Amino acid sequence: MAAMSGGLVRPHSSKIGFFHRVLDASVILFSLVLALELTRGLEFSAKYAQAGVWGVMLFLMIGGAKHLYSSWRLVPVHEAVTATLVTWCWTAVALVFIAFLGKTSADYSRMAVLTWFALAPLLLAAVRVILRMVLNGLRTNGRNTRTLAIAGKTKLGKQVVDKVEQTPWLGMQFIGYYDDRLAKRDCKHAAEDTEGVGRFEELVALAREGKVDYIYITLPMKAENRIVELVNALSDTTASVYLVPNFFVFDLLHGKMSSLDGIPVLSLHESPFYGVDGWLKRLEDIVVASLILLIIALPMAVIAAGVKLTSPGPVLFKQRRYGLNGAVVEVWKFRSMTVCEDGDKVVQAQKGDMRITPFGAFLRRTSLDELPQFFNVLQGQMSVVGPRPHAVAHNEQYRRLIRGYMLRHKVKPGITGWAQISGWRGETETLDKMEMRVKYDLDYVQNWSLWLDIKIIFLTVFKGFINKNAY
């Protein structure tokens, strides 16, 4: 959430933002000098200095557009690091493009440039993590803190306070609730176990005296007039004001604010892979799938021969699955059964299933039957990480039984996923098992980040291939 008016942001944010910019510029130039030293001690000549200046300007410009220099206090460290890495990726792309247009790429050592491109994001991320640790330590010990007041003695307000008290590194000191409603007039939104400290006029007075830094308005959505009056009154102060709408009455899937030609709108159900994040996800898929296919090319040839020699039928089994936005795609697998079912009714594999061949049982137990799906990834039909695709017949069955089931198709299906490494893999003979799988799928869609994908891929190597529920 952003402050509700440009004049409500306190001066300390701009000072920190300036410090961040100076620090990032220094890190980028230092990483370039270090890269030159590491690659046969090249001299930091005028042409490299020019490249460094271009890198700094582009990074600061792109970082400003991505709000990289806003206050860190309310941003989790993994989000700050991810935003930094994405900003540098775009900076590197822009530098290469500029060098190509200016026909100057041959003037630079490729090894030095590649080393710089690798060092800079690592150092930028490391500096942010170290600074966050220092600031968190200071705030936990009561230094570099800010005061917080809640406008609206509601259950939502109590949730905000609970979150602040559970995360002392935010450095916020709660000073109380403020609400014009008396206790006997509390509506159903009120927090039962809290007492209001004062009325709105007292809160405004404190804000004018500079005794409150952050004000979170947690009034119910129907209190529009009261919210407008309070915001107008607080516009005569220097407090940072945030509106916390009670959108929890909806099931938000990756909800975020956007605008329709100036009209603010809130997305309720939306894919996280629009714009830059979508390109980043696609780049991740191409790089990871290509590397893995190079490694598994020979094992796949051996497996194909094994399938052909141990049972009659095709090597590959192609089954229709729902892909992105519910579009039907053909997913490839090594055939592990004596049949290739893909009709209106598909029976899930069960323990001791007579349709599974002996060699197919080994493939399914070790997930080796799914290796051809890396070709689906290169084709753009699947991702390396995402909700596992179900047969079309199963989708039609469960979409009527589980609320929000089809929202898992707001992203491409994956070869591995958050649900699979969390233990929800294999047969879903009961509805509650499928509900848990869908719960983890939607959690992945809502909380996607590059780091989450890396974590899932890493965990898949150790516990995602072999599973007692896979048969």
Side-chain angles (χ1 to χ4, degrees):
M1 292 172 293
M4 298 186 65
S5 171
L8 302 182
V9 180
R10 293 176 66 82
H12 63 261
S13 295
S14 60
K15 293 177 182 177
I16 293 177
F18 176 76
F19 173 73
H20 289 172
R21 288 176 170 86
V22 172
L23 186 60
D24 283 346
S26 302
V27 169
I28 291 171
L29 293 176
F30 172 76
S31 63
L32 176 56
V33 173
L34 183 59
L36 294 173
E37 285 294 326
L38 292 176
T39 51
R40 296 175 294 183
L42 294 175
E43 180 185 357
F44 187 69
S45 59
K47 63 180 181 182
Y48 284 107
Q50 185 180 26
V53 171
W54 270 106
V56 168
M57 291 192 302
L58 288 169
F59 185 85
L60 296 183
M61 181 178 66
I62 297 171
K66 291 185 65 65
H67 307 288
L68 195 63
Y69 300 106
S70 57
S71 174
W72 287 6
R73 190 178 297 269
L74 303 180
V75 180
V77 64
H78 70 273
E79 291 185 10
V81 170
T82 300
T84 302
L85 296 179
V86 171
T87 300
W88 178 255
C89 285
W90 282 111
T91 300
V93 170
L95 285 170
V96 171
F97 184 68
I98 291 173
F100 173 76
L101 290 181
K103 298 181 180 180
T104 59
S105 57
D107 298 338
Y108 298 91
S109 165
R110 286 178 173 79
M111 183 58 67
V113 172
L114 288 175
T115 304
W116 181 35
F117 284 178
L119 276 177
L122 293 178
L123 294 179
L124 287 167
V127 166
R128 273 168 167 71
V129 172
I130 293 171
L131 280 178
R132 180 63 66 91
M133 292 172 63
V134 172
L135 289 175
N136 291 350
L138 291 174
R139 291 165 181 170
T140 302
N141 293 322
R143 303 182 64 181
N144 188 234
T145 59
R146 299 289 182 268
T147 53
L148 165 70
I150 301 295
K153 196 185 73 169
T154 62
K155 295 177 182 178
L156 181 58
K158 188 174 186 303
Q159 289 179 357
V160 173
V161 174
D162 289 343
K163 179 64 67 174
V164 168
E165 293 177 346
Q166 292 167 10
T167 51
W169 56 264
L170 288 174
M172 290 189 177
Q173 295 181 345
F174 174 59
I175 63 174
Y177 296 90
Y178 292 82
D179 202 326
D180 283 343
R181 298 172 301 174
L182 300 176
K184 64 181 181 180
R185 296 177 56 198
D186 281 348
C187 66
K188 63 181 180 179
H189 299 285
E192 297 175 358
D193 58 343
T194 58
E195 291 294 334
V197 173
R199 302 174 70 84
F200 286 156
E201 59 186 27
E202 297 175 62
L203 175 61
V204 173
L206 284 176
R208 285 174 178 167
E209 295 171 8
K211 295 181 179 180
V212 57
D213 296 292
Y214 289 89
I215 298 173
Y216 279 57
I217 301 176
T218 60
L219 293 169
M221 297 175 67
K222 64 181 181 180
E224 176 185 354
N225 293 334
R226 297 172 63 215
I227 293 173
V228 171
E229 291 177 3
L230 179 59
V231 170
N232 288 336
L234 291 171
S235 65
D236 189 33
T237 74
T238 58
S240 295
V241 182
Y242 295 81
L243 176 64
V244 188
N246 191 13
F247 290 133
F248 299 107
V249 296
F250 305 107
D251 289 327
L252 299 186
L253 181 61
H254 210 77
K256 63 181 180 181
M257 293 298 299
S258 57
S259 65
L260 177 64
D261 195 21
I263 301 175
V265 295
L266 175 72
S267 65
L268 301 182
H269 301 146
E270 183 181 359
S271 169
F273 301 134
Y274 285 131
V276 174
D277 287 338
W279 297 342
L280 183 64
K281 176 70 168 176
R282 183 58 183 149
L283 178 63
E284 171 201 330
D285 285 337
I286 293 174
V287 171
V288 174
S290 299
L291 290 175
I292 292 177
L293 283 171
L294 287 175
I295 297 172
I296 66 175
L298 181 58
M300 285 182 67
V302 174
I303 293 172
V307 172
K308 194 67 177 177
L309 294 174
T310 56
S311 63
V315 170
L316 293 179
F317 167 46
K318 300 179 182 180
Q319 189 176 47
R320 294 178 302 121
R321 305 289 174 97
Y322 279 173
L324 180 64
N325 294 324
V328 177
V329 298
E330 278 193 340
V331 174
W332 298 1
K333 301 178 71 171
F334 282 122
R335 182 177 55 81
S336 59
M337 291 185 173
T338 57
V339 297
C340 296
E341 296 178 340
D342 191 22
D344 294 333
K345 184 178 181 180
V346 178
V347 180
Q348 281 188 321
Q350 304 173 9
K351 191 172 185 178
D353 200 315
M354 298 301 295
R355 298 171 299 168
I356 302 176
T357 66
F359 187 61
F362 166 73
L363 295 180
R364 296 173 72 92
R365 212 166 35 244
T366 56
S367 300
L368 293 176
D369 62 321
E370 297 172 357
L371 294 183
Q373 291 171 22
F374 285 104
F375 288 109
N376 288 118
V377 174
L378 291 183
Q379 292 170 356
Q381 298 173 331
M382 295 181 64
S383 286
V384 175
V385 181
R388 286 292 299 153
H390 300 152
V392 171
H394 295 155
N395 280 317
E396 293 304 317
Q397 173 188 356
Y398 287 114
R399 70 187 302 177
R400 296 190 295 267
L401 300 175
I402 301 175
R403 183 165 59 92
Y405 176 87
M406 290 300 292
L407 295 177
R408 64 198 299 275
H409 296 291
K410 297 302 292 182
V411 300
K412 294 177 183 178
I415 296 176
T416 184
W418 185 231
Q420 280 61 47
I421 65 163
S422 301
W424 300 103
R425 180 188 171 194
E427 183 185 6
T428 52
E429 70 277 11
T430 60
L431 183 62
D432 62 309
K433 288 187 177 181
M434 180 60 80
E435 287 176 338
M436 288 303 299
R437 181 184 293 184
V438 172
K439 177 180 180 295
Y440 275 86
D441 287 340
L442 297 186
D443 182 63
Y444 168 79
V445 176
Q446 189 169 8
N447 299 292
W448 176 84
S449 69
L450 182 60
W451 295 116
L452 180 57
D453 274 3
I454 294 173
K455 175 182 178 180
I456 292 172
I457 293 172
F458 177 79
L459 292 176
T460 298
V461 174
F462 292 97
K463 65 178 185 178
F465 286 110
I466 300 177
N467 189 287
K468 64 181 180 178
N469 297 324
Y471 37 80

